[in-house]
Structure formats: C-alpha cells, structure tokens
Amino acid sequence: MDFDHLRYFQTLAACGSYTAAAKQLFISQPALSYAISQLEARTEIKLFERTARGVRLTPAGEEYLKHVDRAIEELDIGKARARTIAGGASIVRISLMRVLGAIFLPNAITRFKQAFPDEECKFDLRLGIASEVAADIEEGRSGIGLCSRVGNEELKHIAVAKQKLVVIAPRDHELARKDSVNLIEAARYPQVGFAPGTGLRQTVDKMYSDAGVSVRYLSEEREDYTVTGMVAAGFGIAVVPRLAIFDQLDVRCLEIENENNYRTFYMVYSENATLTSAEKRFIEFAQMEVAERGLSNAEMS
C-alpha cells in the first residue's frame, strides 16, 4: 500500500473537499481522486460518500481513519528517532512506571550527564504499568524499561530502587487502633487490590504468599490513588506505597511487621535487542551506580 495514499486519505477526510485537499497537498485533483480510488480498491472499503458540499467519511471510513492516524503518528515518531540517531545525537528510549518518573529517573539522568558530560543524547520516555513496560521492551518500542519484576525471564533485570509498603485501613476499621500489623492478621480482612498486570499486584500477592496466606479482593484498581480512595470509602484495607494523600483522606497507615515489606524496581532490557550506544552506556552507568551506592529509594508523593 502506498504510504502517500494514506496521507491523501487523511487530508481529504480533514478537508471534506477534493479541491481543497488537492490544493493543500500540492497535487492535481484527478491525481488525488485516482489515489483515493486505488486505496478503496485495495482496502475493499468505501471510504467516502458524496455530499452537496463535497465528501464525507462513511462509518467504515471513520473507523479506518482512527487506525491510519495512529499508524502515521507512529511512523512520524519512528522517522524522527531514526534521524536523531543517524545525526549523531543518540537516543535513550525508556518505558517506565509513573512512580519512577517523579524522582528516581530525573535524578539518575542528572547523575548520568554529570558522569558523561560529552555524551550527547536525548531521552524519549513512555509511561505505563509493568506489563505495558515489558511489552514495549519485547516489541522494540523502547530499549530500557524501569518497572517491577516482569514475568519474561528472558529479559535482563537489574535491581535499581526500592520502595517501602504499608497497610492502610479506614479510620473506623478495627485495625486503625494499631500502629503496625502482620500480614497474616491483615489477610483476614477484605482487601482493595491492584489490577492484574500491575507491578504492585504481583508484589503484594507474593508478600501474602510468603506469609503463607491468601486474600480476597473486593475491588481491583490500576492506580494507587484510586486504591486509597476506595479504602477511605470503606471497601476494605490495602497494601500500598506511602502517599502524601493519606493526610487528606480518612485512612490510617500501619507499618508492616513482616521483613518483606517493600517492593523492588528493576532496569529491564533485552540482550538480543539492538540498543543505541547511549542506551548501552546508561545501562552500564546503572550497574555502576548500584554497585557503588546500593538501591535508591523511590518515594512517591
């Protein structure tokens, strides 16, 4: 399929007129008409229908445009990245969990630039939950991931940071009278949990499993702030990172008495992937930092 034909389709959909679209594209109207007819023949989809003022998308054309828009956006991003690399300024493509974007990564980038002032590079960041970060690495959208441990053991994991976890309960809950709680006791109560596929769900399930118990989730959420809100509303208790929002909601924070009371974050990458020189240097820098400084604290606010 001719890529220019997709651009023509996108432009005609926006203009609603062959005359206006052809003028914007700097091609003749017959050439545009031929390109659209070729696209319709190849896709076997009627994309436009005539109106008194020009053309408009058919329902099938509207659906097709959504995918064309995304495809062209990805191709434009890829071209920009490739040109950056080809021009000598290497790029570091990182997919990461939101918690690591507030303090950990900015500080790591600052120290990296201080350690390698002559390393000319650009950082390109994508946010997602742990499973999405892993997919970005597996499918080549990013060279480096920062997340909780993921299920694909073929990916290389380097522990880089840790974060302490606590139990929160509604202020009128019987546990709210305590300052700390063992997970065996906590497991007796209904829980608000994190959604499957999130790093915290995997971590919390393992914590309870290591304690020899299982839990019943009444609600499963993607975001820690939503989990906290559900606890404040009385849906159950939860194991979460310590958050500043605790002071604004009716929740009580309890320390976890078990030794395994934190989660670990990893730098994740594939040894079989084609990494840029700057990505390789950033991975080496992370390994050196861990050896010299130990694991960083990844605090959330």
Side-chain angles (χ1 to χ4, degrees):
M1 186 177 296
D2 192 326
F3 177 69
D4 285 340
H5 290 181
L6 296 179
R7 291 277 193 192
Y8 296 168
F9 165 65
Q10 194 181 45
T11 303
L12 179 57
C15 293
S17 162
Y18 276 93
T19 302
K23 184 177 181 180
Q24 184 172 321
L25 292 164
F26 299 100
I27 61 175
S28 68
Q29 187 171 328
L32 175 58
S33 180
Y34 175 76
I36 296 301
S37 66
Q38 287 291 101
L39 182 59
E40 289 183 326
R42 291 180 180 179
T43 59
E44 299 181 348
I45 302 170
K46 182 174 176 56
L47 300 171
F48 294 95
E49 58 188 11
R50 297 278 180 180
T51 68
R53 296 184 178 182
V55 294
R56 66 186 176 197
L57 289 167
T58 64
E62 291 178 355
E63 180 63 26
Y64 189 58
L65 178 63
K66 296 176 186 177
H67 297 274
V68 168
D69 286 343
R70 286 198 292 268
I72 289 177
E73 181 182 8
E74 283 296 318
L75 288 168
D76 286 342
I77 291 172
K79 181 170 68 174
R81 289 177 176 174
R83 284 179 172 175
T84 299
I85 294 171
S90 195
I91 190 168
V92 181
R93 301 159 301 150
I94 301 178
S95 290
L96 69 154
M97 296 169 59
R98 181 173 61 87
V99 60
L100 295 169
I103 297 176
F104 171 78
L105 183 59
N107 288 345
I109 291 175
T110 298
R111 294 194 298 271
F112 175 73
K113 288 184 174 292
Q114 290 171 345
F116 303 100
D118 297 329
E119 183 78 47
E120 183 182 355
C121 62
K122 174 185 175 183
F123 286 82
D124 182 55
L125 309 180
R126 300 171 64 102
L127 294 177
I129 61 175
S131 58
E132 293 167 342
V133 171
D136 283 347
I137 302 304
E138 292 164 353
E139 297 170 17
R141 287 186 290 270
S142 294
I144 297 171
L146 292 171
C147 58
S148 303
R149 178 172 285 278
V150 297
N152 186 349
E153 294 301 325
E154 293 182 0
L155 297 180
K156 184 75 173 178
H157 288 69
I158 303 171
V160 292
K162 61 183 178 180
Q163 182 182 45
K164 190 173 183 179
L165 301 179
V166 296
V167 168
I168 56 172
R171 288 196 181 275
D172 59 357
H173 194 279
E174 61 183 271
L175 285 181
R177 298 191 297 268
K178 294 173 167 283
D179 294 322
S180 64
V181 64
N182 189 286
L183 291 177
I184 295 176
E185 180 182 4
R188 298 185 355 232
Y189 300 95
Q191 309 269 323
V192 178
F194 290 88
T198 58
L200 269 171
R201 175 57 176 268
Q202 180 180 347
T203 298
V204 173
D205 282 353
K206 187 176 187 307
M207 289 172 62
Y208 277 117
S209 176
D210 289 347
V213 292
S214 60
V215 295
R216 179 168 60 96
Y217 293 113
L218 295 185
S219 175
E220 297 174 325
E221 312 296 337
R222 281 173 58 102
E223 295 290 335
D224 39 43
Y225 280 74
T226 306
V227 170
T228 303
M230 296 292 282
V231 170
F235 283 87
I237 68 171
V239 176
V240 296
R242 190 183 297 274
L243 303 172
I245 198 174
F246 290 169
D247 297 332
Q248 304 170 34
L249 297 175
D250 286 332
V251 298
R252 169 74 168 160
C253 178
L254 295 81
E255 298 292 330
I256 296 175
E257 296 171 357
N258 306 65
E259 290 185 6
N260 180 17
N261 61 2
Y262 62 91
R263 66 166 164 172
T264 303
F265 295 107
Y266 298 86
M267 177 173 284
V268 181
Y269 65 96
S270 172
E271 294 181 306
N272 298 321
T274 301
L275 302 177
T276 68
S277 60
E279 287 168 348
K280 294 176 182 176
R281 183 69 65 86
F282 194 68
I283 291 170
E284 293 170 357
F285 171 75
Q287 292 173 317
M288 178 182 68
E289 281 249 302
V290 171
E292 294 180 355
R293 301 162 59 100
L295 300 186
S296 299
N297 286 319
E299 295 301 328
M300 213 178 205
S301 59

